Every structure is written in structure tokens, then in C-alpha cells.
Amino acid sequence: MNGGLVDRFGRVHRDLRISLTDKCNLRCTYCMPAEGVPWITKQNLLTTDEIERVGRAFAGLGITEVRLTGGEPLLRPDAVDVVRRLAAIETQNGRLRVSMTTNAVGLHAVMDDLVDAGLERLNISIDTLDRDRFHELTRRDRLDDVLAGIDAARRSGLRPLKLNTVAMRGVNDDEFVDLLRFAQAHDAQLRFIEQMPLDAGHIWSRATMVDGQETLEHLSQAFTLEPIGDRGSDPAEVFRVDGGPTTVGVIASVSAPFCGSCDRVRITADGQLRNCLFAREESDLLNLLRSGGTDADIAAMIRRSVAGKRQGHGIDGPNFLQPDRPMSAIGG
């Protein structure tokens, strides 16, 4: 492993995010416009073989977990095969652990196949339980499909099952308590996420953002929340709800950044290597793969990217510039 993937600030990287596609079957208002965005052409997407090769390279450098993201990863026809191939890769700590972030629209149809392929964990995005609000927010009438996917995930036995909610003022801040009760009923861990400057329209404003502390104040009106303690590299600050066993987390990327413990590196669906969600620089892994790059060349590019990682995302800095790519193109 040659010392693993350590940046100049001593952060050891063990978590890889791979975007399988930039396409999505929803059009969430905080993510992309109604007409969508220019999609990556098929020939510029990483192939299944290339994803597997990249997974093996990262595993050899100390990565122990891969999370598959999008867009919506289940829109990729070979998503189950990707899971199966990655889950078979050996690391120095056993098999590579494979998880997925999904909007769950098509999850119920492939849940059993994903489990059989070796998927270990799911993060499911759900921002509202109100049908009309869901339709307005996502521009699609697919709440029943999402709820069916969450139920399939609950029955699958994969744990922890996490639900992700983007906290939005005037949109869903009146549902925080209901969403947590829904998570309790589905044996799931709810995570509230501060809205980040990663929208395609670049209209994000900190002034209208619901920060983590405000979210906790909402929840504390109905629940007793007890901090759990050291979260390590987990992006969420986690609280025990009413004595447990349910927990709720707040991912305060903007108001309380956790860059100092970040252990993540990302690959976009078109094979661009990013050392930070908010990075404006990328390394062209796709071109290296397709121009005869050796395994040693791939490892060297990965090491250079991680070595160049900045100390923090700098959202509060005067020189911060939002990444050109929206979240759907970067991968969560």
C-alpha cells in the first residue's frame, strides 16, 4: 500500500465516490433546471471495465469503501454488475465495501439483485413526504416509487439505512419532525444536509440557507437529542433521539465544515478525478485509461491529486468560486 493516500495535511483517504452517470429521473429545483443540463455523451462515460480497473487501483492505495453516486446511479443499465465487480475486489482489510446513494425511484425493482451483488449500504434521498410538494420540488410525480424503494430497502436488511434530506427554508423546514418520525418507523437514520453551492443555476445563497443549528432547534421541539460524540471522518454530527436506538445527523458542510477529517476522493462519470467536492481542478483519469496508461501511471495520478488537496473548501473565503459543474455532474 506504500503508506496509503495521505495528503500534505496528514489526512488519510479511505473513501472513494464514483459517479455512474450524470443523468437523473428527477429535476430537483436545487440541483438542475427543468430541462436538465447538457449530458455527458455515452462514449465519454467510464465503462464497466474501466470502473473496475480504477477500483482496483484505489484499493491498492488504501481505499476501503466505494460509494456509487450520480445523477441517479440506477439509471445506468449495468449498475448491478458494477456493484458485483467492485465488491469482489480485495483490499488489505478484506473485500471492498460498496454502498450507493440513490433517489430510490427504481430501487424496488433491483433491490434483491443489489444485495446479491454485494451491496452493503444505501443512502436514499427524500426531501418531503407531501405528494404535491414532492411534485413541485422534483418536477416529477414519483413519490410512490420513492416510498416503495425505501420500503424495499427496509425489508432488505441492509443496515445502516440512511435517508438524506436537504434542508430548505420555506420548502420543507415545516416537515423536519415528520421526516424524523418517518425514519424511525422505517428503521432508518435520517441525515439533514445543509444546502450547498452546487446548483446548476448558481442561485445558492447562504442568507436563505437553513443551517445545522437551526435544524436541531426545529427537532428539539419534539425530540430529546443527545450528542453521540467523536464522529471520526463521518460528515454528520450525530445525535441519539429520545434515548435511542434511532439517531439523527446533521451534515453542516457550510456552517461547520469538517474538512480537517475528510477522507474522500471523487471520480465523475466521465472519469475526472477530484480531490474535493468543491474543487475547480480535475485530473483526466479517463484519458489516461484510454491512452495506454499503466497501473503505475494511474496510481501516480491518484497520488498527485490527493497530494494537491487544499486544507478546506473555502466557502466563507473572499475568493471562493462555485465549481463549474453542478452536483449532478460531480457525484455526491
Side-chain angles (χ1 to χ4, degrees), residues 28-297:
C28 296
T29 55
Y30 58 81
C31 186
M32 66 175 70
E35 65 275 13
V37 294
W39 308 121
I40 298 169
T41 59
K42 184 175 181 180
Q43 60 265 33
N44 286 328
L45 292 175
L46 285 169
T47 67
T48 312
D49 288 342
E50 288 167 343
I51 292 172
E52 181 181 2
R53 187 180 180 195
V54 167
R56 292 188 183 280
F58 271 96
L61 294 170
I63 289 292
T64 59
E65 179 174 350
V66 171
R67 183 186 299 183
L68 303 175
T69 69
E72 171 47 44
L74 292 180
L75 287 181
R76 183 161 169 145
D78 62 347
V80 172
D81 190 35
V82 171
V83 170
R84 181 175 292 107
R85 293 208 201 182
L86 292 175
I89 294 173
E90 291 288 345
T91 75
Q92 291 195 354
N93 297 315
R95 293 283 179 93
L96 195 61
R97 304 186 65 187
V98 183
S99 60
M100 179 180 288
T101 295
T102 173
N103 63 29
V105 166
L107 181 61
H108 66 284
V110 294
M111 187 71 252
D112 292 343
D113 293 334
L114 289 170
V115 173
D116 290 344
L119 191 73
E120 289 194 18
R121 189 165 60 79
L122 279 163
N123 285 43
I124 297 176
S125 302
I126 182 163
D127 297 323
T128 178
L129 299 170
D130 180 272
R131 183 177 307 281
D132 291 338
R133 184 175 288 177
F134 184 94
H135 194 175
E136 181 179 1
L137 180 61
T138 68
R139 304 185 178 101
R140 300 290 187 272
D141 186 14
R142 306 299 297 271
L143 180 59
D144 286 344
D145 295 314
V146 173
L147 296 178
I150 292 173
D151 189 56
R154 178 188 60 79
R155 289 184 282 105
S156 76
L158 295 187
R159 296 296 184 274
L161 170 60
K162 295 183 180 180
L163 305 181
N164 295 338
T165 295
V166 176
M168 292 169 281
R169 190 177 309 283
V171 177
N172 64 352
D173 50 346
D174 60 338
E175 285 191 78
F176 289 176
V177 169
D178 290 339
L179 283 159
L180 182 47
R181 287 184 174 137
F182 175 84
Q184 285 180 308
H186 288 77
D187 193 22
Q189 301 177 7
L190 186 60
R191 298 291 184 265
F192 288 96
I193 304 172
E194 288 182 345
Q195 192 171 353
M196 294 179 283
L198 289 167
D199 57 300
H202 289 207
I203 60 173
W204 175 89
S205 168
R206 178 158 185 168
T208 59
M209 183 191 77
V210 180
D211 66 28
Q213 186 57 44
E214 186 177 346
T215 297
L216 292 172
E217 290 169 1
H218 274 285
L219 297 175
S220 295
Q221 296 174 16
F223 305 97
T224 299
L225 305 179
E226 175 190 354
I228 287 183
D230 182 21
R231 70 203 214 192
S233 61
D234 190 336
E237 183 180 5
V238 183
F239 299 81
R240 190 173 290 108
V241 179
D242 291 339
T246 301
T247 64
V248 64
V250 172
I251 300 177
S253 304
V254 178
S255 66
F258 39 86
C259 302
S261 59
C262 179
D263 67 346
R264 289 169 291 286
V265 62
R266 289 174 165 80
I267 301 175
T268 65
D270 57 348
Q272 302 304 301
L273 179 59
R274 300 173 64 91
N275 57 26
C276 174
L277 185 59
F278 295 95
R280 294 185 61 82
E281 307 84 18
E282 299 177 334
S283 300
D284 193 350
L285 192 55
L286 181 71
N287 182 61
L288 181 61
L289 289 166
R290 296 183 180 178
S291 61
T294 65
D295 290 348
D297 294 331

